[in-house]
Amino acid sequence: MSICLFREGDAITPSDRQGFDKRWSAPNLERVYTPLTAEDALNAAENFITMYKHDEVQIVSGRHCYENFVYSSKTKCIVDVTGLRDFGLDKDKGYYIGTGNANWDMYQILNNVFGKTLPAGSCYSVGLGGHVTGGGYGLLSRLYGLTVDWLTGVSIVVIRNGKAELI
């Protein structure tokens, strides 16, 4: 059994309220969940689904948002997926790297453990959760395409009919 790290009230730090771009902040932030497993992410979703409207909950991975999509006055709950840092090789599905890893981690894992690479970004600290879902443009993209072009599968928490499920 894993434990989803959880902070609220006085336990919320200034760095929880503000990401990489200091122009934006979340002054009304009430809760921060940091899941360590996919099941933790599912449980976090079950918790916040009844407490918040959809635009009050934001997901972060690396905290590199250059707009106020995550850090705004609307944000009351953040799910910080940087704890989802697993990786490995599934015989049926291929290589996998958790969304909480940053570009630097991904390059280190792929190069040093598996002898592979991806045409991903050059900023070492960008989280994969945002980078890959945003396309994943990098130095090798003109030659090999975007990071997302190499994506073969995902596990994701979705909300259906008021319930969270992992698909």
Side-chain angles (χ1 to χ4, degrees), residues 4-16:
C4 179
L5 304 177
F6 169 71
R7 295 183 304 285
E8 69 178 336
D10 293 339
I12 292 177
T13 66
S15 66
D16 289 325

Side-chain angles (χ1 to χ4, degrees), residues 118-120 128 130-138 141 144-154:
L118 277 173
L128 293 181
H131 181 65
V132 175
T133 57
Y137 183 81
S141 291
Y144 296 110
L146 300 174
T147 309
V148 74
D149 295 334
W150 294 87
L151 188 67
T152 59
V154 296

Side-chain angles (χ1 to χ4, degrees), residues 17-19 21-27 68 70-73 75:
R17 296 185 188 282
Q18 198 167 45
D21 188 329
K22 302 302 181 205
R23 294 179 298 167
W24 315 112
S25 69
N68 63 340
V70 172
Y71 300 97
S72 75
S73 59
T75 303

Side-chain angles (χ1 to χ4, degrees), residues 53-123:
K53 295 184 247 177
H54 76 280
D55 62 346
E56 295 174 333
V57 178
Q58 301 298 330
I59 314 299
V60 298
S61 171
R63 300 181 181 226
H64 265 259
C65 188
Y66 286 113
E67 296 297 332
N68 63 340
F69 303 137
V70 172
Y71 300 97
S72 75
S73 59
K74 288 183 181 180
T75 303
K76 293 185 179 178
C77 177
I78 287 179
V79 180
D80 183 347
V81 299
T82 55
L84 301 173
R85 300 174 60 85
D86 60 333
F87 68 90
L89 174 60
D90 182 291
K91 286 170 59 174
D92 297 323
K93 298 178 182 177
Y95 302 99
Y96 63 89
I97 299 178
T99 190
N101 288 292
N103 273 339
W104 175 257
D105 305 315
M106 182 259 319
Y107 284 129
Q108 293 297 309
I109 292 165
L110 287 178
N111 289 322
N112 297 336
V113 178
F114 301 118
K116 306 288 182 191
T117 194
L118 277 173
S122 58
C123 184

